[in-house]
Amino acid sequence: WPYRARQRFAARGNRLAITCEIENTGRAAMPAGLGLHPYFPRRPDMQLSVRAGGYWRTLPDNPGLPEDWRPLDPEADFFAGKDLRSQDLDTCFTGWSRQAQLIYPAAGYSITLTVSAAFPNLVIYCPKDRNVLCLEPVSHVNDAANLAGLDAAQAMNILAPGGQLTGEVILETALAPD
């Protein structure tokens, strides 16, 4: 499928806005999706705050590919009190609040990731054997092209000729609360 993709960056003070866009330049409808994959250092005292309505469970021998969907309490902070050093995730969270926060108490700052409605899903990649954590806002769940019966927020987008899909990701830093 012919398409045009654009990324725009706007930095001001403690805020970085990243706009992602895909446009169908062809004559037929096409499947499309957006995702951004920012990596952050995983520190021993790091805290992560995310609220979501569910997640796609994966199997250890097939990481990243969804096996089945599991509900979560959307009002509960999934990572509250969890030691991120022990986490080994490549998991897609659905129905999330479209905001996540990383807090680095020892360093004295936090990073808040906020996204537009184009990103109703969040993949969290947190490999146990590496000191990184990736918060990946995405427009559809992993392997959506091969999963039947997904709701609209988890499925691939279908862009008509001339159609566009645009999403914005904002990263903001702040001094960590005492």
Side-chain angles (χ1 to χ4, degrees):
W1 290 280
Y3 66 91
R4 178 177 300 121
R6 295 183 190 96
Q7 235 181 2
R8 289 186 296 278
F9 298 86
R12 184 176 185 144
N14 65 335
R15 184 178 190 267
L16 173 65
I18 305 165
T19 303
C20 302
E21 179 181 280
I22 187 166
E23 176 185 3
N24 180 354
T25 60
R27 293 187 220 171
M30 68 175 239
L34 294 174
L36 192 68
H37 308 280
Y39 278 78
F40 302 93
R42 185 165 49 164
R43 307 271 194 236
D45 67 332
M46 178 180 165
Q47 300 163 17
L48 172 61
S49 177
V50 174
R51 287 175 169 64
Y55 69 97
W56 281 92
R57 185 178 68 91
T58 59
L59 298 177
D61 61 337
N62 202 8
L65 292 179
E67 180 69 20
D68 57 30
W69 185 83
R70 304 278 174 103
L72 292 172
D73 177 355
E75 300 303 314
D77 185 342
F78 182 79
F79 289 95
K82 292 185 179 173
D83 183 347
L84 292 174
R85 291 174 298 182
S86 66
Q87 299 296 307
D88 191 17
L89 294 175
D90 191 357
T91 303
C92 184
F93 291 84
T94 62
W96 72 303
S97 65
R98 295 197 328 260
Q99 186 171 73
Q101 187 175 47
L102 297 170
I103 302 169
Y104 295 90
Y109 69 92
S110 66
I111 301 169
T112 301
L113 177 134
T114 307
V115 302
S116 66
F119 298 110
N121 306 288
L122 179 70
V123 174
I124 298 179
Y125 177 62
C126 186
K128 191 166 35 175
D129 61 343
R130 295 178 55 206
N131 287 325
V132 297
L133 181 137
C134 187
L135 298 176
E136 308 172 18
V138 291
S139 60
H140 58 281
V141 300
N142 303 17
D143 204 27
N146 294 309
L147 296 173
L150 293 174
D151 67 41
Q154 295 180 32
M156 294 282 296
N157 293 275
I158 304 299
L159 296 182
Q164 295 181 346
L165 177 60
T166 302
E168 183 177 55
V169 175
I170 297 171
L171 295 164
E172 264 182 296
T173 60
L175 296 177
D178 292 330

